[in-house]
Amino acid sequence: MKALRRKLRRDLWRMRGQVITIILILASGLASYVCLAGAHRALTTSRDGYYARHGFPDVFVHLERAPQAVARALREIPGVAAVETRLVAPVSLRLPDRLRPPPGRAISVEPGGRAGGLVLRAGRFIEPGRDDEVLVLETFAHAAGLAPGDRLELVVSGQELRLRVAGLVLSPEWIFPAEIGAGDLSDFGVVWMSRDALAAATGKHGAFDDATFRLVPGADRRSVIEAIDRLLARWGGGGAYGRERQTSHRTVSGELEQLSVLATQVPAVFLLVAMFLLNVVLSRIVHLQREQLAVLRALGYTRRALALHVLGFASVIMVGGVVLGLALGRYLAGAIVGLYGQFFHFPVLEVALDRGLVGISVGVAVVAAGGGALTAAWRAIRLAPAEAMRPPSPARYRRGLLSRLGLARLAGPMGRMIVRDIERRPILTALSVTGVAFSVAIVILGRFSLDAVDHLMDVVFGRTMREDVAVMLARPVPARELGWFRHAPGVMAVEPMRTVPVRLRVEARSYDTAITAWPRAGRLRQVLDGRDRPVPLPADGVMLTALLGQRLGVGPGDLVMVERLEGAHDTFALPVTALVDDRIGMNAYMDLAALGRALGEEPQLSGVLLGVERGQRDRLLRALDRVPAVIAVIEPRSFREAFEAQSGQMMIVWTLIVVVFGSVIAVGVVFNTARVALSERSRDLATLRVLGYSRGEVATVLLGQLAVQVLLALPLGMVSGYLLASSLMATVDPEQFRFPILVSPVTYAFASLVVLGSAIATAIVVRVKLDRIDIVSALKARD
Amino acid sequence: MRERVLEAHGLRKTYGSGATAVHALDGVDFALEAGEILVLLGPSGSGKSTLLNVVGGLDAPTAGTVRYRDHDLSQDDDEALTRYRREHVGFVFQFYNLVPSLTARENVQLVVDLVDDAMRPEEALGMVGLADRLDHFPSQLSGGEQQRVAIARAIAKRPDLLLCDEPTGALDGKTGRLVLEAIATVNRELGTTTALITHNAVIAAMGDRVVTMKDGGIASIVHNPTRADPAALDW
């Protein structure tokens, strides 16, 4: 057996190029699995543990105000295990070095502060009676440079409060801290303060305006939500909702869903390719070594020994792939979780290679390597010694379809050799083409979402929000207040805006959203349709996001019932005058005057859109800072810049990963196909050299065949990349985002270039090997 | 005396170096005369194939000179050797070396495409008695037929030299005779200077001259007063 093992070792060394490329593909597959599934597990485990330990609520509701006594009635709703009532108010945080005060939320907390599932990260909780202390969300504090003991000024309901930071906290409700989708962590702040202090600022003593619920296991959530809504209707209840509509939870879950899809698709592609290559290469080895294997049989080696010999080849590749794959996967999982850690904030977030993950990886590797090796091993043991030692007969060729079509005649003898070889091995050719196509698809899959997001950003922040600055007010004010903004420094254009939280109802169907209104003639906001063309606001009635119309079962001409979720909670009917395929959210748009008529009030505004003179921004922001009614100042452009800076980093990491993975597959497939072709045809090629063909001419036969395969693979890869991308996109919640284009031409081109580049690099290596063929010895080889 | 088409002087070919060096050719002087059939005899390892490969431009000598007419082959690079093979030399090997994905006609066409004044493939195949097997693939032909296609391929460009390395080595006597007849026909009709390696002494009777090699050198050169007809040879 020792000699046989030595033979295995030398065979492996002789074929090291092929062995290494297959190990790399297998390792990439396992690494992609370990890193994606590992990141998924790390995030899921962290989230679920976090939720469980710190009591993440099942149901949420916001209302106008209700006396504290109502809490008891809420607690008695069947299915409710615990209720926490609190005050939540929009705040504006004044930071010394920030011209534009970041918006945020102030949330009331009981002294000693376990409530709200807060996790103390630094400092201490608020002590009883300390109304001047505040807890700050750790991530915001870090971004804004706040530490325990620092002073913090904030504006709540038009009142300026001077507070001192007691501690930094994390909360399961704010894993992803954003309301409007902050581009930068320091753009949205969350603070917790004593109930008395917040009640004093908002004038809500002895009352609450927000509640969270935990349900008993097995409770019927729907009926609990209905009961809450019935009970809170007279207190201005804004509609209770479950976790799926809680911003942070929704964002985290959406991301996890995508990770889990990726964790299945990407590794599957790699492992299929690895299996295929192993099969091709091992079959070739068995074929080349027919004689040797036959001699071994003649010498008395058992079939079992020979099968193990062939499988030994596969097991070296398997072990190499597993070790490298696990190590690389573990490293990449850490990198990906690190990237997520910038957006999602958990008290503990670490990657562990658990036994399940390792077990699955090893199992998959065994299946991939074994699946690839089995037929080859089978062929090895079926060899009859005498038959294998007979001289070979020429490979069988016949005239295939392409030749009969006259294609071969056009192509000359070289072209004929290429065409006939493709025809003789259609399955092998198809598999090689598929393998290369997969590498195109992988690169597309890794990159397309960046294009889609980029396009979305452009549509939303470049073309929908065309103002330089949007100012949000703490509460609606009469339209005449607009005058102040008109005269504010640097302002060139002013347009009013109004948002009203509403519940839209059509028969039994309802949806909670907000009506956004501005003047029809306004130029600072525009709604874009599915082809990014502006759609004018209707003079009367409401224009709905098409998907919202679908959910409600209404179209143009139908009536929708509108219940205001603020103030008087009055209900009125509105005609739907248009549906529009906009990109983000489930929206209702109206002309500002039409909204005033529908509400039966003088036009009011809750926000102001401003066009600002170049160079006057800072002056304007300083002036706005002195207006207590201003709750938030948003700059679409800087939002986009912040987003791009952050996604840019993510983009570089992702692009690098997919380029490496895609190239590994492309190089692996092309190199192995070429090596096999080279070993099969070295005699043909040497013959051509003897007949007087030059090296370059001979190379066209082999490389031409590879080129045909790669060129066939490109369109196929684009199609499969598109399909993989669609299945990943299907996991995006369409109520949040509707991506217009799936894959941009740039991504198609990029993927093609990566694969072409890999193929050309490989072709150069093959060409060098081809040039080194020893004509004389190749001619004497019998097959 | 006939014109010397090719002359080699002091040819050495050494594989490896130092103590393990093998001298495949050890100072050989050799010539091919226009229109002759030269038979190279000798045991395996005596240097026949190495000599033929050097003469045919497949291999470069370690030392010595090879001149084809006025041209010094020993100074040629790969490109020049390729041109030499393309323009002047036809090869036939023991294992035929047909391209399996091309038919008989197309295998010959391979060579026809390379030169200006070539025969039509049908004509070349007719000369070796395969006019009725034009569109067969190698896998559909017997060993002898495959070898005759190889000869047709070698002579279709009307080469100056036809070099055959054990052309009958893998064939039985009857089939081998057909192949040798084809070679003799080509030599007679086209006047192609032919060198033929064999270790079968019977075949030596069909040559004008018989060169016997031993240990990398030439042991003897015999002139046959008359050439035997291959059909009459028996082994």
Side-chain angles (χ1 to χ4, degrees):
Chain A
M1 262 336 214
K2 269 188 190 156
L4 207 52
R5 206 169 300 149
R6 200 167 301 143
K7 169 178 172 327
L8 176 62
R9 209 162 51 221
R10 294 203 182 130
D11 286 347
L12 282 166
W13 176 246
R14 199 166 42 81
M15 306 188 67
R16 58 193 176 276
Q18 283 165 277
V19 170
I20 288 169
T21 49
I22 301 177
I23 286 182
L24 282 179
I25 290 179
L26 187 60
S28 301
L30 294 178
S32 66
Y33 172 72
V34 170
C35 101
L36 294 167
H40 182 261
R41 274 185 201 207
L43 290 166
T44 311
T45 315
S46 304
R47 183 195 65 177
D48 293 347
Y50 193 13
Y51 283 1
R53 275 194 307 280
H54 295 278
F56 183 61
D58 298 304
V59 173
F60 307 79
V61 70
H62 193 72
L63 50 142
E64 285 287 300
R65 72 179 286 168
Q68 198 53 53
V70 176
R72 188 178 305 156
L74 288 173
R75 211 160 279 134
E76 279 162 10
I77 293 174
V80 170
V83 180
E84 196 181 307
T85 61
R86 56 192 184 181
L87 294 170
V88 176
V91 291
S92 168
L93 295 124
R94 304 289 149 106
L95 299 174
D97 56 341
R98 290 280 292 261
L99 270 179
R100 182 160 46 88
R105 290 285 175 281
I107 302 170
S108 71
V109 69
E110 305 306 325
R114 294 275 158 214
L118 298 184
V119 182
L120 189 68
R121 304 283 286 178
R124 55 170 174 76
F125 282 120
I126 296 172
E127 283 176 357
R130 297 299 298 264
D131 288 353
D132 60 341
E133 287 187 343
V134 67
L135 299 171
V136 182
L137 189 68
E138 184 191 32
T139 45
F140 173 76
H142 285 165
L146 289 170
D150 287 354
R151 301 209 138 274
L152 176 64
E153 264 181 56
L154 35 95
V155 179
V156 183
S157 302
Q159 289 196 41
E160 283 192 29
L161 303 180
R162 289 166 190 280
L163 303 169
R164 189 174 289 280
V165 177
L168 307 184
V169 294
L170 284 178
S171 156
E173 286 184 59
W174 300 97
I175 291 175
F176 180 70
E179 280 287 276
I180 41 171
D184 180 329
L185 288 177
S186 64
D187 265 356
F188 189 84
V190 185
V191 299
W192 287 263
M193 49 199 285
S194 92
R195 187 162 195 142
D196 287 346
L198 198 52
T202 56
K204 290 179 177 172
H205 276 292
F208 65 94
D209 62 9
D210 197 275
T212 60
F213 303 79
R214 266 183 292 147
L215 307 187
V216 295
D220 176 10
R221 215 184 48 156
R222 205 188 156 89
S223 65
V224 171
I225 287 178
E226 281 169 8
I228 294 171
D229 283 354
R230 267 196 308 277
L231 209 106
L232 294 180
R234 57 178 291 224
W235 307 107
Y241 54 90
R243 287 179 176 183
E244 73 284 351
R245 278 186 50 209
Q246 204 265 348
T247 309
S248 162
H249 177 83
R250 186 178 191 159
T251 310
V252 175
S253 303
E255 204 61 45
L256 285 176
E257 173 102 0
Q258 293 199 18
L259 262 185
S260 95
V261 171
L262 277 177
T264 339
Q265 281 182 351
V266 176
V269 166
F270 276 101
L271 297 169
L272 282 175
V273 174
M275 203 188 289
F276 149 66
L277 285 184
L278 209 58
N279 184 285
V280 170
V281 170
L282 283 180
S283 298
R284 185 62 201 158
I285 293 173
V286 169
H287 185 75
L288 284 177
Q289 299 196 348
R290 286 156 59 237
E291 274 176 74
Q292 299 176 33
L293 293 171
V295 168
L296 290 171
R297 288 274 288 131
L299 290 177
Y301 280 97
T302 61
R303 288 173 182 234
R304 212 176 90 89
L306 292 191
L308 286 176
H309 179 61
V310 172
L311 290 176
F313 207 93
S315 60
V316 166
I317 287 177
M318 192 192 78
V319 171
V322 166
V323 171
L324 193 63
L326 287 180
L328 188 66
R330 172 72 181 73
Y331 172 77
L332 288 177
I336 288 191
V337 164
L339 279 176
Y340 275 115
Q342 295 179 6
F343 302 97
F344 297 155
H345 307 291
F346 297 97
V348 189
L349 181 56
E350 53 189 34
V351 184
L353 270 195
D354 62 52
R355 230 178 287 161
L357 219 53
V358 174
I360 290 176
S361 305
V362 173
V364 165
V366 169
V367 170
L374 229 52
T375 49
W378 173 243
R379 225 170 287 166
I381 62 174
R382 269 195 334 179
L383 281 175
E387 187 188 330
M389 283 191 283
R390 227 175 278 154
S393 53
R396 275 173 210 291
Y397 283 84
R398 56 193 179 78
R399 247 177 265 271
L401 181 65
L402 295 175
S403 316
R404 266 178 258 143
L405 285 173
L407 196 70
R409 191 161 316 139
L410 279 180
M414 300 297 183
R416 261 189 296 249
M417 289 172 74
I418 294 175
V419 169
R420 295 224 176 104
D421 215 58
I422 289 173
E423 281 177 340
R424 190 170 80 91
R425 313 278 284 282
I427 294 176
L428 187 71
T429 305
L431 286 174
S432 303
V433 169
T434 311
V436 177
F438 274 151
S439 62
V440 178
I442 286 271
V443 178
I444 291 175
L445 185 64
R447 263 198 58 119
F448 84 97
S449 59
L450 303 164
D451 288 340
V453 169
D454 191 51
H455 183 90
L456 194 73
M457 286 286 136
D458 185 48
V459 166
V460 174
F461 294 105
R463 302 190 50 199
T464 300
M465 302 171 74
R466 306 200 303 170
E467 70 273 14
D468 296 310
V469 170
V471 179
M472 300 296 148
L473 304 176
R475 59 175 62 85
V477 298
R480 59 176 179 274
E481 301 278 337
L482 213 54
W484 184 89
F485 291 98
R486 203 161 275 139
H487 298 108
V491 169
M492 296 195 305
V494 179
E495 286 177 14
M497 186 185 134
R498 174 80 199 268
T499 53
V500 184
V502 293
R503 173 167 302 161
L504 302 178
R505 251 187 229 289
V506 176
E507 289 158 14
R509 295 179 290 273
S510 74
Y511 198 91
D512 292 355
T513 179
I515 294 180
T516 310
W518 60 85
R520 282 190 82 198
R523 305 167 53 98
L524 295 180
R525 279 285 163 100
Q526 59 179 7
V527 182
L528 300 180
D529 69 3
R531 291 189 195 162
D532 302 335
R533 291 171 311 197
V535 181
L537 287 179
D540 266 307
V542 61
M543 176 161 74
L544 300 179
T545 295
L547 185 63
L548 177 54
Q550 224 174 56
R551 293 277 147 94
L552 292 171
V554 290
D558 295 333
L559 280 182
V560 61
M561 292 307 295
V562 182
E563 180 191 344
R564 265 170 98 171
L565 295 180
E566 62 168 24
H569 273 253
D570 46 335
T571 301
F572 52 93
L574 269 180
V576 176
T577 40
L579 296 180
V580 64
D581 273 319
D582 55 359
R583 300 281 172 232
I584 291 192
M586 301 281 264
N587 306 299
Y589 304 101
M590 285 186 82
D591 169 49
L592 189 67
L595 177 65
R597 287 195 297 277
L599 294 174
E601 62 183 26
E602 286 224 358
Q604 294 206 319
L605 50 102
S606 55
V608 183
L609 309 174
L610 302 175
V612 182
E613 203 178 321
R614 195 181 289 269
Q616 296 292 316
R617 166 191 178 264
D618 292 6
R619 267 185 74 206
L620 174 67
L621 293 186
R622 268 193 290 275
L624 288 174
D625 193 32
R626 289 192 295 271
V627 182
V630 170
I631 195 73
V633 176
I634 296 162
E635 293 179 276
R637 198 175 303 120
S638 70
F639 184 98
R640 190 174 175 200
E641 280 161 11
F643 180 88
E644 273 168 4
Q646 218 165 36
S647 70
Q649 199 190 347
M650 196 108 169
M651 178 148 169
I652 290 168
V653 173
W654 264 126
T655 306
L656 211 66
I657 292 179
V658 297
V659 167
V660 169
F661 278 7
S663 316
V664 162
I665 294 190
V667 168
V669 173
V670 174
F671 182 70
N672 279 285
T673 324
R675 280 301 284 146
V676 167
L678 194 60
S679 81
E680 279 179 347
R681 313 195 61 178
S682 57
R683 219 159 63 110
D684 291 1
L685 302 177
T687 301
L688 291 176
R689 295 276 289 125
V690 170
L691 294 180
Y693 282 88
S694 69
R695 284 178 175 165
E697 287 166 324
V698 169
T700 53
V701 175
L702 193 68
L703 300 182
Q705 199 172 337
L706 292 177
V708 167
Q709 291 179 359
V710 171
L711 292 179
L712 285 176
L714 289 181
L716 190 66
M718 292 182 193
V719 172
S720 28
Y722 180 88
L723 293 178
L724 287 178
S726 332
S727 72
L728 186 62
M729 262 311 168
T731 64
V732 173
D733 179 1
E735 292 193 9
Q736 282 185 300
F737 302 108
R738 293 170 294 279
F739 289 97
I741 39 156
L742 264 172
V743 183
S744 76
V746 175
T747 293
Y748 282 129
F750 179 77
S752 306
L753 282 180
V754 168
V755 171
L756 274 179
S758 312
I760 289 170
T762 314
I764 291 172
V765 173
V766 172
R767 173 71 204 268
V768 170
K769 283 189 187 292
L770 201 59
D771 285 351
R772 289 206 195 120
I773 287 186
D774 178 359
I775 303 177
V776 175
S777 59
L779 287 175
K780 292 203 172 136
R782 294 170 68 187
D783 186 21
Chain B
M1 189 165 150
R2 296 199 237 197
E3 181 203 357
R4 293 188 157 188
V5 183
L6 183 134
E7 268 185 287
H9 292 288
L11 279 188
R12 284 178 193 282
K13 180 72 188 179
T14 309
Y15 296 105
S17 60
T20 58
V22 175
H23 303 288
L25 292 177
D26 202 0
V28 172
D29 295 327
F30 173 81
L32 276 173
E33 295 169 2
E36 71 169 340
I37 293 183
L38 180 133
V39 177
L40 272 167
L41 269 181
S44 61
S46 59
K48 312 183 293 284
S49 292
T50 308
L51 179 60
L52 204 70
N53 290 340
V54 168
V55 167
L58 283 180
D59 213 345
T62 313
T65 56
V66 188
R67 294 190 73 80
Y68 171 77
R69 297 188 190 273
D70 302 333
H71 185 86
D72 187 356
L73 293 180
S74 32
Q75 302 301 317
D76 277 356
D77 61 4
D78 179 76
E79 200 179 323
L81 285 178
T82 301
R83 203 161 50 238
Y84 166 65
R85 289 199 301 271
R86 185 187 284 217
E87 288 166 5
H88 303 292
V89 188
F91 279 100
V92 176
F93 294 98
Q94 180 176 2
F95 291 114
Y96 336 133
N97 291 315
L98 299 181
V99 177
S101 56
L102 299 178
T103 61
R105 190 206 306 260
E106 290 162 352
N107 262 285
V108 179
Q109 184 75 39
L110 267 180
V111 168
V112 173
D113 287 348
L114 284 178
V115 290
D116 292 333
D117 180 34
M119 298 181 208
R120 287 182 303 110
E122 296 76 8
E123 196 184 331
L125 285 163
M127 275 187 83
V128 296
L130 287 177
D132 56 342
R133 309 292 265 168
L134 297 176
D135 291 320
H136 288 64
F137 282 98
S139 59
Q140 298 163 323
L141 297 170
S142 72
E145 286 171 330
Q146 289 183 51
Q147 190 61 297
R148 281 186 283 158
V149 174
I151 293 169
R153 186 176 67 181
I155 54 111
K157 64 180 170 190
R158 308 178 203 275
D160 300 298
L161 304 178
L162 177 62
L163 307 178
C164 311
D165 191 347
E166 296 272 13
T168 58
L171 303 173
D172 60 57
K174 189 168 159 242
T175 325
R177 271 193 294 281
L178 282 174
V179 167
L180 293 177
E181 278 178 50
I183 292 173
T185 306
V186 167
N187 174 265
R188 192 173 55 244
E189 293 185 4
L190 302 178
T192 312
T193 308
T194 305
L196 188 154
I197 288 180
T198 179
H199 59 260
N200 184 345
V202 175
I203 293 175
M206 72 177 278
D208 296 298
R209 288 193 300 151
V210 181
V211 174
T212 307
M213 293 191 70
K214 198 182 164 191
D215 297 334
I218 290 176
S220 68
I221 301 179
V222 175
H223 290 260
N224 286 337
T226 50
R227 295 197 323 208
D229 179 356
L233 299 177
D234 194 17
W235 70 87

